[in-house]
Amino acid sequence: MNGMFITVEGPDGSGKTTQLNLLVEALNSKGYEVVVTREPGGTTVGNSIREVLLSPEHHEMTPRVEMMLYAASRAQNVDQIIRPALARGAVVLCDRFVDASIAYQGYGLQYDMDQIESLNEWATSGITPDVTFLFDLTPQRAQERMKDRGQLDRIESRDQAFHQRVYEGFHALLNKYPERMILIDADQSVECIHDEVLDATLERLKNRGVKL
């Protein structure tokens, strides 16, 4: 793989998607080929799976089914979007990846971690991010922000205890992968966060030798 794979993670309401879009604009302006995708979703197949996963109507969905649907969307995303883009040297930016499944299904739903990791190893064919920005925001602050969004989806509407476990899960991943994951204080201004993310990205691109 000649390109660079960057993911953004964090609690719902942490502002990660806003920062991803700003990073796309900045990298495009510097001449990089940037490919943007998301999870669940990113492809026609994945977007259909996303509708099922996030719909509040599917309250009966079991943790095992939820885990498999996320992995199915991820497998399509890797095969159709991520792997081909990396192979031609593009910078791939993905809104969530395997870390999200570990945090949300593993820690949040307390599903078997070994099964989650094994399934996702197969779904991704072993592809892992080069850099992951973890946007850090407490569940309490995230909930305050989410109130302004209106109706919450099936995952967002889970109780505070669930979101606290997810938060702790992301921090456990940060401790496990300190070289890959970069902690970003998501309670700063949008401009300050963008500057921090862009500087770190450009440094990693330079060190990796990804060319314009």
Side-chain angles (χ1 to χ4, degrees):
M1 299 292 178
N2 301 315
M4 189 167 185
F5 186 22
I6 301 172
T7 58
V8 296
E9 298 282 4
D12 296 307
S14 62
K16 60 181 178 53
T17 305
T18 296
Q19 291 299 326
L20 182 146
N21 291 332
L22 291 173
L23 183 57
V24 171
E25 292 177 10
L27 292 178
N28 278 331
S29 72
K30 294 181 180 297
Y32 287 97
E33 180 193 356
V34 182
V35 174
V36 187
T37 188
R38 67 175 181 176
E39 295 202 343
T43 66
T44 301
V45 171
N47 287 333
S48 295
I49 294 172
R50 182 185 181 90
E51 290 181 12
V52 174
L53 273 167
L54 301 187
S55 173
E57 296 178 3
H58 301 308
H59 57 84
E60 77 283 6
M61 187 182 298
T62 67
R64 186 163 71 110
V65 171
E66 181 173 308
M67 179 188 71
M68 289 191 292
L69 286 175
Y70 273 107
S73 175
R74 185 164 297 134
Q76 184 71 28
N77 205 4
V78 166
D79 290 349
Q80 184 178 339
I81 305 295
I82 296 172
R83 185 189 292 110
L86 291 174
R88 66 175 183 266
V91 178
V92 177
L93 301 180
C94 189
D95 192 339
R96 298 202 185 281
F97 201 59
V98 176
D99 293 319
S101 285
I102 294 172
Y104 279 84
Q105 284 81 59
Y107 284 87
L109 293 180
Q110 300 176 302
Y111 196 77
D112 185 90
M113 201 72 71
D114 289 338
Q115 289 193 20
I116 293 173
E117 292 178 350
S118 176
L119 177 62
N120 279 284
E121 174 71 19
W122 181 60
T124 63
S125 301
I127 288 178
T128 58
D130 297 298
V131 184
T132 298
F133 290 103
L134 175 58
F135 293 91
D136 188 38
L137 195 69
T138 65
Q140 293 76 19
R141 286 286 292 122
Q143 187 177 48
E144 291 173 10
R145 292 185 181 183
M146 296 297 289
K147 287 179 181 178
D148 298 330
R149 291 191 179 182
Q151 184 177 2
L152 303 179
D153 66 34
R154 192 177 64 88
I155 309 298
E156 294 167 345
S157 61
R158 285 174 172 157
D159 63 27
Q160 193 72 4
F162 168 83
H163 289 289
Q164 181 63 37
R165 291 194 298 272
V166 170
Y167 179 79
E168 293 168 1
F170 277 126
H171 278 264
L173 286 165
L174 178 68
N175 291 331
K176 187 175 182 180
Y177 303 109
E179 297 301 317
R180 171 171 65 85
M181 300 187 80
I182 299 174
L183 186 68
I184 302 292
D185 179 0
D187 224 359
Q188 305 176 82
S189 69
V190 171
E191 294 77 15
C192 285
I193 296 172
H194 172 61
D195 289 343
E196 189 175 343
V197 169
L198 179 58
D199 287 347
T201 300
L202 293 176
E203 181 181 358
R204 293 291 184 107
L205 285 168
K206 180 180 178 181
N207 292 340
R208 189 174 170 84
V210 178
K211 299 179 181 179
L212 298 177

